[in-house]
């Protein structure tokens, strides 16, 4: 599965097991169960993930920057000693920034932070509000449009 689908499924599982959603299911008194909510969320995945689009783009930018640095050629023809020293400093700085050798982008702190921000935004602004909103809609429909108190 693509990365976004895996992250979405993980966020959906986390949300369905969260106390907030479990409590809402109890208050809903059988108008929907976890599997019905899951099915609705999977069908609405594109709309739900759009809630975290900004964070996802930041994550992609951070990951691309690291992956781009990992692909830059290290061996260069460098005229003069000072240029060679500068190139060596560049290589050392690159290694310090990304770790020894080519490191998977997700192991770099900036990328990890960006990914965590994306996953949290997906959960808090996407999946949980969607699930709670569907439960509220179902309750209102059952009560003839009156909001639950």
């Amino acid at each position: 599965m693509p990365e976004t689908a895996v992250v979405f499924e993980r966020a959906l599982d986390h949300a369905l097991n969260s106390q907030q959603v479990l409590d809402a299911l109890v208050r809903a008194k059988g108008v929907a169960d976890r599997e019905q909510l899951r099915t609705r969320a999977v069908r609405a995945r594109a709309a739900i993930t759009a809630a975290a689009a900004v964070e996802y783009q930041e994550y992609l930018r951070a990951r691309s920057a690291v992956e781009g640095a990992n692909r830059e050629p290290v061996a260069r023809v460098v005229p003069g000693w000072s240029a060679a020293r500068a190139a060596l400093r560049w290589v050392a700085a690159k290694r310090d920034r990304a770790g020894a050798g080519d490191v998977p982008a997700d192991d770099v702190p900036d990328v990890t932070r960006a990914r965590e921000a994306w996953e949290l935004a997906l959960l808090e602004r996407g999946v949980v509000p969607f699930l709670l909103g569907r439960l509220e809609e179902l309750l209102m429909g059952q009560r003839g449009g009156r909001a639950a108190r």
Side-chain angles (χ1 to χ4, degrees):
M1 286 196 322
E3 177 182 33
T4 55
V6 172
V7 171
F8 177 80
E9 286 293 329
R10 189 170 45 238
L12 181 54
D13 285 341
H14 186 79
L16 286 168
N17 292 315
S18 72
Q19 196 61 52
Q20 187 178 13
V21 171
L22 291 173
D23 289 346
L25 279 166
V26 169
R27 285 190 307 274
K29 296 182 181 109
V31 299
D33 62 23
R34 288 170 36 89
E35 284 310 308
Q36 291 169 323
L37 286 177
R38 174 182 291 288
T39 299
R40 287 175 179 241
V42 168
R43 286 185 189 145
R45 189 176 103 197
I48 293 170
T49 57
V54 170
E55 289 81 2
Y56 181 64
Q57 291 303 314
E58 287 299 319
Y59 164 63
L60 291 179
R61 271 193 285 282
R63 189 176 72 186
S64 292
V66 170
E67 288 171 351
N70 281 340
R71 285 192 296 268
E72 290 180 26
V74 172
R76 299 173 187 242
V77 177
V78 183
W81 175 247
S82 63
R85 286 179 44 191
L88 288 172
R89 280 196 302 276
W90 176 83
V91 170
K94 178 184 160 201
R95 190 172 313 132
D96 289 344
R97 184 176 66 244
D102 287 351
V103 177
D106 286 348
D107 290 342
V108 175
D110 289 345
V111 177
T112 301
R113 278 190 292 277
R115 182 182 175 101
E116 289 169 352
W118 164 48
E119 291 179 6
L120 185 61
L122 178 61
L123 179 67
E124 291 182 349
R125 291 200 322 264
V127 181
V128 170
F130 176 85
L131 297 175
L132 296 175
R134 295 308 70 78
L135 283 171
E136 184 65 25
E137 285 175 3
L138 291 168
L139 278 171
M140 287 179 64
Q142 188 180 47
R143 294 180 178 141
R146 292 184 315 252
R149 297 220 181 249

